[in-house]
Amino acid sequence: MDTAEKLAQMALAVALFAGVVGLILLLAGRVRRGADLAQALAFVVPALALLAVGLIYPALRTGYQSFFDRTTENFVGLANYQALFERDDLLVVLRNTLIWVLVAPVVATVIGLVYAVLVDRSRFEAFAKSLIFMPLAISLVGASIIWRFVYEYRPDQQNIEQIGLLNQILVWLGMEPQQFLLNSPLNTLLLIVILIWVQAGFAMTVLSAAIKGIPQDIVEAGRLDGLYGVKMFRYVTVPSIRPALIVVLTTISIATLKVFDIVRTMTGGQFETSIVANEFYTQSLVRGNYGLGAALAMVLFVMVIPIVIYNVRQLRKADHR
Amino acid sequence: MSTVKTTPEVREGWDGAAAASPSARARKRLTSPGASIAAVVIAVLWTLPTFGLLLSSFRPEEDIKGNGWWNWFTDPELTLESYNEVLFGSTTQLSTYVVNSVVITVPSVVIPVVLALLAAYAFAWMKFPFRNTLFVAVFALQIVPIQVALIPLLQIFVDTGLNGTFWPLWIAHSVFALPLAVYLLHNFMSDIPAELVEAARVDGAGHVKIFRAIMLPLVLPAIAAFGVFQFLWVWNDLLVALTFAGSTSDVAPLTARIAELVGTRGTEWHLLSAGAFVSMLVPVIVFVTMQRFFVRGLLAGSVKG
């Protein structure tokens, strides 16, 4: 297909869609008053039908397939789930997922919080914030390339200079350059750095808004009690924004569990860096093991549920303060 | 699932000092020199990696491969050659994939927004059996990670012969966007005063008229916020793209192609650096021009995926 053909296809798809929606609205508008049910169905059925076919049915089907073998032909019971907790390579996947979800949310939140407090009401606040926020706008693929360049390794020989910043710093300090992405478990931590780099901006934005929402009289009462600097932070700021802190932590935890792009782009899950969301892709679409892939997807689902429920409840509380 | 957008202070907070009343909160300097240094250190750490790659993308190929970007300051030479090669060179042809990304993204934003507007209106202002049950069900669907739906969905597209076209990408992105979109737009629509709708009904307006003449103009900010979020989500997506389009096919987007380049040509830093910034250009423009909507949208949908 050439460019014109593709653009024509896009225009056609949008026009087709607009035509269908227009027709629905026209017909719904024609219905005589009183036939409310027909009108309501015309409004709500397109979205519900799409969700039923595109999300609910596939999700149920994945659950079903997780009890079958790699070709999804033979029933194997819980064997796929058992494999997750018995096979060494898959245990590494679970271990890595645990490391990700324990490290990334906490570090990103702490950095976001500290930075939000540091720049709060300073002269360059808007500019300073946009520097940290910018990584959130770009793709995780782009972010991964940026950091891959930082970690780049060149063999330690004469006439070969390091082009990655991190290895050059090692050289400047008189140490030997490292193959950062190959050495487990350090490589997992270095991949986590990328997600922290992205998510700190999210944490900073939400927490900064919460800090500005602290009532002035509470701050002044603290001042009268002689609280300044770190003590003010510890005894006034942090307790006042507790609900927002929990929302940020849980939100980043959910994003961490689902992260796929970073691992895929940096290592493809090799060198013991795979996590559940990446292993799902590898098993399903690279190795063609649909049963195991389905089981991994279900495990991801089950891990996310409690955090989401907690997140929503905290959010409700935060809203009804 | 996050509904941070409903927290009022978040809506106002982004503008930083501007949001606080100037009398009560006169701008002040950072509290101490130590705090200033810490802030600058974090800001530099966060900016330096991007700066290094950006500078490298403008350096001649042999310079990028020969020594680190910090050498540029003693040997300043800039060129657009890497961009020329990555966009139009026969091995990478990124310009084709830029077109693909645009073709994928536009319908993937328009379709879910329109469908969600209709459904949100019905949930907020129309009466039908099981209304609340269905709304809670749509709301709850936000917790389903898209991984859970991908493979059976792919099977459907293969069976119907749609695979290899743009349709799987458009449909998949639309489906995955719907739960959040319906929920957000419903929240906005149900906030609109009932008297407004009642008055229109008394004047003889039907639901279709009310939807077009009253609701759409009033929820435009919400549409913009969600539209910007969905645009960036689709533009930056890798998983849906790899599943339904692969990385080199006729319909693959920029992200999938660039991720593949990392795997196959991981040391060609003149291509990778320029390619990365080609893919970032659109999100950064959106970021700069639509910051307000952008932040709201991101906060509202930060758990999607």
PDB file of all heavy atoms in Angstrom, chain B residues 229-248:
ATOM      1  N   PHE B 229      -5.302  11.938  25.818  1.00  0.00           N
ATOM      2  CA  PHE B 229      -4.761  10.754  26.473  1.00  0.00           C
ATOM      3  C   PHE B 229      -4.770   9.554  25.533  1.00  0.00           C
ATOM      4  O   PHE B 229      -3.772   8.855  25.374  1.00  0.00           O
ATOM      5  CB  PHE B 229      -5.569  10.429  27.740  1.00  0.00           C
ATOM      6  CG  PHE B 229      -5.284   9.050  28.250  1.00  0.00           C
ATOM      7  CD1 PHE B 229      -4.105   8.787  28.921  1.00  0.00           C
ATOM      8  CD2 PHE B 229      -6.168   8.020  28.019  1.00  0.00           C
ATOM      9  CE1 PHE B 229      -3.821   7.514  29.365  1.00  0.00           C
ATOM     10  CE2 PHE B 229      -5.891   6.741  28.460  1.00  0.00           C
ATOM     11  CZ  PHE B 229      -4.716   6.488  29.136  1.00  0.00           C
ATOM     12  N   GLN B 230      -5.915   9.331  24.884  1.00  0.00           N
ATOM     13  CA  GLN B 230      -6.041   8.169  24.000  1.00  0.00           C
ATOM     14  C   GLN B 230      -5.096   8.297  22.812  1.00  0.00           C
ATOM     15  O   GLN B 230      -4.489   7.327  22.372  1.00  0.00           O
ATOM     16  CB  GLN B 230      -7.506   8.034  23.550  1.00  0.00           C
ATOM     17  CG  GLN B 230      -7.761   6.974  22.491  1.00  0.00           C
ATOM     18  CD  GLN B 230      -7.623   5.550  23.014  1.00  0.00           C
ATOM     19  OE1 GLN B 230      -7.335   5.335  24.194  1.00  0.00           O
ATOM     20  NE2 GLN B 230      -7.790   4.578  22.134  1.00  0.00           N
ATOM     21  N   PHE B 231      -4.971   9.505  22.265  1.00  0.00           N
ATOM     22  CA  PHE B 231      -4.056   9.740  21.150  1.00  0.00           C
ATOM     23  C   PHE B 231      -2.640   9.290  21.519  1.00  0.00           C
ATOM     24  O   PHE B 231      -1.986   8.545  20.794  1.00  0.00           O
ATOM     25  CB  PHE B 231      -4.052  11.227  20.785  1.00  0.00           C
ATOM     26  CG  PHE B 231      -3.186  11.547  19.600  1.00  0.00           C
ATOM     27  CD1 PHE B 231      -3.710  11.591  18.323  1.00  0.00           C
ATOM     28  CD2 PHE B 231      -1.824  11.792  19.756  1.00  0.00           C
ATOM     29  CE1 PHE B 231      -2.913  11.857  17.229  1.00  0.00           C
ATOM     30  CE2 PHE B 231      -1.010  12.058  18.671  1.00  0.00           C
ATOM     31  CZ  PHE B 231      -1.559  12.094  17.404  1.00  0.00           C
ATOM     32  N   LEU B 232      -2.177   9.742  22.682  1.00  0.00           N
ATOM     33  CA  LEU B 232      -0.818   9.401  23.084  1.00  0.00           C
ATOM     34  C   LEU B 232      -0.696   7.919  23.418  1.00  0.00           C
ATOM     35  O   LEU B 232       0.323   7.291  23.137  1.00  0.00           O
ATOM     36  CB  LEU B 232      -0.396  10.240  24.287  1.00  0.00           C
ATOM     37  CG  LEU B 232      -0.136  11.683  23.886  1.00  0.00           C
ATOM     38  CD1 LEU B 232      -0.061  12.575  25.097  1.00  0.00           C
ATOM     39  CD2 LEU B 232       1.153  11.776  23.088  1.00  0.00           C
ATOM     40  N   TRP B 233      -1.753   7.368  23.998  1.00  0.00           N
ATOM     41  CA  TRP B 233      -1.699   5.955  24.347  1.00  0.00           C
ATOM     42  C   TRP B 233      -1.531   5.117  23.090  1.00  0.00           C
ATOM     43  O   TRP B 233      -0.701   4.219  23.037  1.00  0.00           O
ATOM     44  CB  TRP B 233      -2.964   5.544  25.107  1.00  0.00           C
ATOM     45  CG  TRP B 233      -2.697   4.336  25.954  1.00  0.00           C
ATOM     46  CD1 TRP B 233      -2.217   4.336  27.231  1.00  0.00           C
ATOM     47  CD2 TRP B 233      -2.835   2.972  25.570  1.00  0.00           C
ATOM     48  NE1 TRP B 233      -2.068   3.037  27.660  1.00  0.00           N
ATOM     49  CE2 TRP B 233      -2.439   2.195  26.672  1.00  0.00           C
ATOM     50  CE3 TRP B 233      -3.263   2.335  24.414  1.00  0.00           C
ATOM     51  CZ2 TRP B 233      -2.445   0.810  26.661  1.00  0.00           C
ATOM     52  CZ3 TRP B 233      -3.268   0.952  24.393  1.00  0.00           C
ATOM     53  CH2 TRP B 233      -2.866   0.197  25.505  1.00  0.00           C
ATOM     54  N   VAL B 234      -2.320   5.428  22.072  1.00  0.00           N
ATOM     55  CA  VAL B 234      -2.242   4.660  20.832  1.00  0.00           C
ATOM     56  C   VAL B 234      -0.907   4.925  20.131  1.00  0.00           C
ATOM     57  O   VAL B 234      -0.238   4.006  19.670  1.00  0.00           O
ATOM     58  CB  VAL B 234      -3.424   5.001  19.904  1.00  0.00           C
ATOM     59  CG1 VAL B 234      -3.272   4.289  18.566  1.00  0.00           C
ATOM     60  CG2 VAL B 234      -4.732   4.622  20.552  1.00  0.00           C
ATOM     61  N   TRP B 235      -0.512   6.186  20.048  1.00  0.00           N
ATOM     62  CA  TRP B 235       0.725   6.535  19.366  1.00  0.00           C
ATOM     63  C   TRP B 235       1.930   5.844  20.006  1.00  0.00           C
ATOM     64  O   TRP B 235       2.847   5.386  19.334  1.00  0.00           O
ATOM     65  CB  TRP B 235       0.918   8.057  19.380  1.00  0.00           C
ATOM     66  CG  TRP B 235       2.090   8.509  18.564  1.00  0.00           C
ATOM     67  CD1 TRP B 235       3.391   8.571  18.968  1.00  0.00           C
ATOM     68  CD2 TRP B 235       2.070   8.927  17.188  1.00  0.00           C
ATOM     69  NE1 TRP B 235       4.182   9.008  17.942  1.00  0.00           N
ATOM     70  CE2 TRP B 235       3.397   9.243  16.832  1.00  0.00           C
ATOM     71  CE3 TRP B 235       1.060   9.081  16.242  1.00  0.00           C
ATOM     72  CZ2 TRP B 235       3.743   9.686  15.563  1.00  0.00           C
ATOM     73  CZ3 TRP B 235       1.404   9.538  14.989  1.00  0.00           C
ATOM     74  CH2 TRP B 235       2.737   9.831  14.655  1.00  0.00           C
ATOM     75  N   ASN B 236       1.939   5.767  21.332  1.00  0.00           N
ATOM     76  CA  ASN B 236       3.083   5.209  22.058  1.00  0.00           C
ATOM     77  C   ASN B 236       2.992   3.703  22.280  1.00  0.00           C
ATOM     78  O   ASN B 236       3.928   3.095  22.784  1.00  0.00           O
ATOM     79  CB  ASN B 236       3.233   5.894  23.423  1.00  0.00           C
ATOM     80  CG  ASN B 236       3.725   7.320  23.282  1.00  0.00           C
ATOM     81  OD1 ASN B 236       4.367   7.666  22.308  1.00  0.00           O
ATOM     82  ND2 ASN B 236       3.401   8.159  24.259  1.00  0.00           N
ATOM     83  N   ASP B 237       1.847   3.104  21.934  1.00  0.00           N
ATOM     84  CA  ASP B 237       1.634   1.685  22.231  1.00  0.00           C
ATOM     85  C   ASP B 237       2.605   0.774  21.482  1.00  0.00           C
ATOM     86  O   ASP B 237       2.938   1.009  20.326  1.00  0.00           O
ATOM     87  CB  ASP B 237       0.203   1.311  21.852  1.00  0.00           C
ATOM     88  CG  ASP B 237       0.078  -0.186  21.593  1.00  0.00           C
ATOM     89  OD1 ASP B 237       0.004  -0.926  22.581  1.00  0.00           O
ATOM     90  OD2 ASP B 237       0.098  -0.594  20.409  1.00  0.00           O
ATOM     91  N   LEU B 238       3.034  -0.283  22.164  1.00  0.00           N
ATOM     92  CA  LEU B 238       3.853  -1.294  21.493  1.00  0.00           C
ATOM     93  C   LEU B 238       3.166  -2.665  21.473  1.00  0.00           C
ATOM     94  O   LEU B 238       3.180  -3.359  20.456  1.00  0.00           O
ATOM     95  CB  LEU B 238       5.211  -1.424  22.189  1.00  0.00           C
ATOM     96  CG  LEU B 238       6.158  -2.475  21.578  1.00  0.00           C
ATOM     97  CD1 LEU B 238       6.597  -2.087  20.185  1.00  0.00           C
ATOM     98  CD2 LEU B 238       7.383  -2.688  22.464  1.00  0.00           C
ATOM     99  N   LEU B 239       2.528  -3.030  22.581  1.00  0.00           N
ATOM    100  CA  LEU B 239       1.996  -4.390  22.714  1.00  0.00           C
ATOM    101  C   LEU B 239       0.898  -4.693  21.697  1.00  0.00           C
ATOM    102  O   LEU B 239       0.937  -5.724  21.014  1.00  0.00           O
ATOM    103  CB  LEU B 239       1.472  -4.594  24.145  1.00  0.00           C
ATOM    104  CG  LEU B 239       0.897  -5.974  24.456  1.00  0.00           C
ATOM    105  CD1 LEU B 239       1.908  -7.064  24.188  1.00  0.00           C
ATOM    106  CD2 LEU B 239       0.419  -6.036  25.896  1.00  0.00           C
ATOM    107  N   VAL B 240      -0.096  -3.821  21.605  1.00  0.00           N
ATOM    108  CA  VAL B 240      -1.192  -4.035  20.653  1.00  0.00           C
ATOM    109  C   VAL B 240      -0.631  -4.060  19.234  1.00  0.00           C
ATOM    110  O   VAL B 240      -1.004  -4.901  18.415  1.00  0.00           O
ATOM    111  CB  VAL B 240      -2.270  -2.951  20.808  1.00  0.00           C
ATOM    112  CG1 VAL B 240      -3.348  -3.098  19.742  1.00  0.00           C
ATOM    113  CG2 VAL B 240      -2.885  -3.013  22.194  1.00  0.00           C
ATOM    114  N   ALA B 241       0.297  -3.168  18.957  1.00  0.00           N
ATOM    115  CA  ALA B 241       0.884  -3.092  17.619  1.00  0.00           C
ATOM    116  C   ALA B 241       1.608  -4.380  17.259  1.00  0.00           C
ATOM    117  O   ALA B 241       1.406  -4.939  16.186  1.00  0.00           O
ATOM    118  CB  ALA B 241       1.848  -1.907  17.554  1.00  0.00           C
ATOM    119  N   LEU B 242       2.449  -4.881  18.173  1.00  0.00           N
ATOM    120  CA  LEU B 242       3.199  -6.105  17.870  1.00  0.00           C
ATOM    121  C   LEU B 242       2.265  -7.295  17.684  1.00  0.00           C
ATOM    122  O   LEU B 242       2.494  -8.150  16.837  1.00  0.00           O
ATOM    123  CB  LEU B 242       4.193  -6.407  18.997  1.00  0.00           C
ATOM    124  CG  LEU B 242       5.496  -5.612  19.011  1.00  0.00           C
ATOM    125  CD1 LEU B 242       6.374  -6.077  20.157  1.00  0.00           C
ATOM    126  CD2 LEU B 242       6.240  -5.761  17.701  1.00  0.00           C
ATOM    127  N   THR B 243       1.202  -7.337  18.496  1.00  0.00           N
ATOM    128  CA  THR B 243       0.291  -8.474  18.417  1.00  0.00           C
ATOM    129  C   THR B 243      -0.469  -8.499  17.092  1.00  0.00           C
ATOM    130  O   THR B 243      -0.584  -9.533  16.453  1.00  0.00           O
ATOM    131  CB  THR B 243      -0.718  -8.433  19.583  1.00  0.00           C
ATOM    132  OG1 THR B 243       0.005  -8.354  20.805  1.00  0.00           O
ATOM    133  CG2 THR B 243      -1.585  -9.681  19.593  1.00  0.00           C
ATOM    134  N   PHE B 244      -0.989  -7.356  16.666  1.00  0.00           N
ATOM    135  CA  PHE B 244      -1.885  -7.359  15.516  1.00  0.00           C
ATOM    136  C   PHE B 244      -1.223  -6.897  14.217  1.00  0.00           C
ATOM    137  O   PHE B 244      -1.823  -7.017  13.160  1.00  0.00           O
ATOM    138  CB  PHE B 244      -3.114  -6.483  15.792  1.00  0.00           C
ATOM    139  CG  PHE B 244      -3.934  -6.987  16.934  1.00  0.00           C
ATOM    140  CD1 PHE B 244      -4.066  -6.252  18.102  1.00  0.00           C
ATOM    141  CD2 PHE B 244      -4.567  -8.222  16.859  1.00  0.00           C
ATOM    142  CE1 PHE B 244      -4.809  -6.727  19.158  1.00  0.00           C
ATOM    143  CE2 PHE B 244      -5.315  -8.708  17.915  1.00  0.00           C
ATOM    144  CZ  PHE B 244      -5.440  -7.953  19.069  1.00  0.00           C
ATOM    145  N   ALA B 245      -0.014  -6.349  14.299  1.00  0.00           N
ATOM    146  CA  ALA B 245       0.606  -5.863  13.067  1.00  0.00           C
ATOM    147  C   ALA B 245       2.040  -6.342  12.897  1.00  0.00           C
ATOM    148  O   ALA B 245       2.600  -6.222  11.823  1.00  0.00           O
ATOM    149  CB  ALA B 245       0.568  -4.336  13.021  1.00  0.00           C
ATOM    150  N   GLY B 246       2.649  -6.892  13.934  1.00  0.00           N
ATOM    151  CA  GLY B 246       4.061  -7.244  13.824  1.00  0.00           C
ATOM    152  C   GLY B 246       4.908  -5.986  13.762  1.00  0.00           C
ATOM    153  O   GLY B 246       4.418  -4.894  14.055  1.00  0.00           O
ATOM    154  N   SER B 247       6.170  -6.128  13.374  1.00  0.00           N
ATOM    155  CA  SER B 247       7.041  -4.963  13.437  1.00  0.00           C
ATOM    156  C   SER B 247       7.497  -4.465  12.073  1.00  0.00           C
ATOM    157  O   SER B 247       8.039  -3.373  11.957  1.00  0.00           O
ATOM    158  CB  SER B 247       8.262  -5.272  14.302  1.00  0.00           C
ATOM    159  OG  SER B 247       8.835  -6.486  13.872  1.00  0.00           O
ATOM    160  N   THR B 248       7.317  -5.229  11.011  1.00  0.00           N
ATOM    161  CA  THR B 248       7.795  -4.755   9.707  1.00  0.00           C
ATOM    162  C   THR B 248       6.701  -4.798   8.646  1.00  0.00           C
ATOM    163  O   THR B 248       6.946  -4.482   7.494  1.00  0.00           O
ATOM    164  CB  THR B 248       8.973  -5.621   9.204  1.00  0.00           C
ATOM    165  OG1 THR B 248       8.601  -6.987   9.331  1.00  0.00           O
ATOM    166  CG2 THR B 248      10.223  -5.349  10.000  1.00  0.00           C
TER     167      THR B 248
END
